[in-house]
Amino acid sequence: DARNDDYFAEGHIPGAIHCDPYEPQASIETVLARANGVEKVIVYCGGGDCEDSVFMCRELIEASVPNETIFVYPGGWSEWTAKKMPVSTASEE
């Protein structure tokens, strides 16, 4: 989840790890630990015109996550919630 702290706390895709692309050092190690060896790392932000997921992908590539494993969910949070998909909040974790 490449959105800011407040948006992540209000709700996020279950199992998502928060990593703000403007302050990646705060949680990049947690992301890298989960991204190591997986087939896909899916990055999302607010969706639509939001480019934060693209910025986060650049951070992941710079941190040595293989480019071919990184995917952007272009619809992002707005599409996820519009489809009434499951949502987690910080208080549930």
Side-chain angles (χ1 to χ4, degrees):
D1 188 318
R3 299 173 305 140
N4 72 33
D5 294 339
D6 293 335
Y7 287 130
F8 183 81
E10 288 175 10
H12 52 272
I13 294 174
I17 300 171
H18 177 250
C19 194
D20 187 329
Y22 302 101
E23 296 180 22
Q25 68 285 355
S27 55
I28 193 77
E29 291 303 320
T30 303
V31 174
L32 295 176
R34 287 261 308 268
N36 187 23
V38 300
E39 288 182 36
K40 293 182 183 179
V41 176
I42 301 170
V43 182
Y44 71 95
C45 57
D49 292 336
C50 182
E51 296 180 338
D52 291 347
S53 57
V54 174
F55 300 141
M56 190 66 242
C57 289
R58 289 181 190 150
E59 293 291 336
L60 292 172
I61 291 167
E62 287 178 16
S64 300
V65 174
N67 186 42
E68 63 273 7
T69 65
I70 302 171
F71 298 86
V72 172
Y73 173 31
W77 183 246
S78 59
E79 181 178 283
W80 186 267
T81 55
K83 291 184 174 187
K84 303 204 183 311
M85 300 299 288
V87 172
S88 290
T89 62
S91 65
E92 297 172 334
E93 297 173 350

